[in-house]
Amino acid sequence: MPATVPLAFFLILSGAAVGSFMAAWADRLPRGESVISPASRCRDCGSPVSWRDKVPVVSWLILGGQCRACGKAIPQRLFYAEIAGAVLAIMAIWGAQSPIQMILGALYLWILLGLMMCDLSAFRLPNALTGLLCVTGVGLAWEDPFRTPVDAAFGAAVGGGVFFLIRIVYQWLRGREGLGLGDVKLMAGIGAGLGAMALPMVALIAASAALVLAALTAWRTGQHPGSGQEIPFGAYLCGASALWWLIG
């Protein structure tokens, strides 16, 4: 659709900026810092990052991944997050049937990216992102000719309800928390965005990936696979949801 070409380019460029913002959020979350202030600065020398060094992807390439002031390396995850944000926008554009679906799809995938990075960084899924994921999922259902907001609400109830039940049963059987409330809220957002029918496959893909990587990590470190290793399962759910968005 030629009329949507400008919107597509805008979303791709915005995706890189959103990826940078999400990476900054995940970087500050373990320290309890606000994502809004203070302004971005080098972790090593404390020098503020100037506006010319905040252009996503381009600034990284020009600086060679180093701070302009002290020359210390900038974490590569920031660059990868910018690339990921642009790629997710392309995915949303590819699967959309209307301009509104482009926007909502890109937003949905960007939120999943932010939640994934936050869980990997701090084992936390911020309420602001899980709540926005659920609202965006309802918007996607409203725009989809084959779904309605009622379907989104049903998917949210199934996803959140099942995981809440798993959380209670696990805690009762093992005497400790196995799933956080953030995972419950995340599954509600996934159910709202992808629908109740997608939830079993998303959970299966996420669980399979988590088990394989946990086994590989245990083998590499010499630990027993069941030695209490903490797994950021929310990150796997986010990755599985983005994959299902692409293929499903």
Side-chain angles (χ1 to χ4, degrees):
M1 295 179 290
T4 63
V5 170
L7 175 60
F9 274 107
F10 174 76
L11 289 175
I12 294 171
L13 294 176
S14 298
V18 173
S20 179
F21 176 78
M22 292 299 185
W25 195 335
D27 180 65
R28 296 185 178 199
L29 190 61
R31 287 177 283 272
E33 298 175 353
S34 169
V35 71
I36 305 299
S37 63
S40 299
R41 58 185 64 245
C42 176
R43 288 289 181 191
D44 290 297
C45 67
S47 299
V49 179
S50 65
W51 65 268
R52 60 178 176 171
D53 295 334
K54 292 182 180 180
V55 181
V57 180
V58 176
S59 292
W60 173 279
L61 296 175
I62 292 176
L63 294 172
Q66 297 177 328
C67 172
R68 184 183 294 274
C70 67
K72 293 294 183 66
I74 302 172
Q76 291 186 350
R77 64 179 178 274
L78 300 178
F79 177 69
Y80 295 146
E82 293 171 355
I83 297 295
V87 170
L88 291 176
I90 294 173
M91 288 173 55
I93 294 164
W94 182 269
Q97 302 298 320
S98 70
I100 298 298
Q101 275 191 345
M102 281 188 187
I103 297 171
L104 291 174
L107 180 59
Y108 192 80
L109 293 174
W110 290 335
I111 298 169
L112 287 174
L113 174 63
L115 286 164
M116 172 185 284
M117 289 190 293
C118 287
D119 202 27
L120 289 173
S121 174
F123 290 97
R124 287 176 58 189
L125 298 168
N127 289 332
L129 289 180
T130 53
L132 186 58
L133 186 74
C134 198
V135 172
T136 306
V138 174
L140 282 169
W142 170 74
E143 179 64 14
D144 192 331
F146 302 103
R147 298 176 64 215
T148 68
V150 174
D151 296 323
F154 177 73
V158 171
V162 169
F163 262 52
F164 185 71
L165 181 61
I166 294 173
R167 167 186 163 86
I168 292 176
V169 172
Y170 185 93
Q171 193 165 11
W172 176 65
L173 292 175
R174 302 295 297 271
R176 58 187 176 89
E177 186 178 279
L179 283 175
L181 283 175
D183 295 299
V184 175
K185 299 169 188 175
L186 172 61
M187 278 302 288
I190 293 173
L194 302 183
M197 297 298 292
L199 293 175
M201 284 305 301
V202 168
L204 177 61
I205 294 170
S208 300
L211 286 173
V212 169
L213 290 179
L216 290 175
T217 301
W219 173 76
R220 188 174 65 249
T221 59
Q223 295 179 342
H224 190 276
S227 59
Q229 177 185 352
E230 191 172 3
I231 297 175
F233 191 52
Y236 292 97
L237 287 171
C238 291
S241 299
L243 178 62
W244 188 256
W245 173 275
L246 180 63
I247 66 176

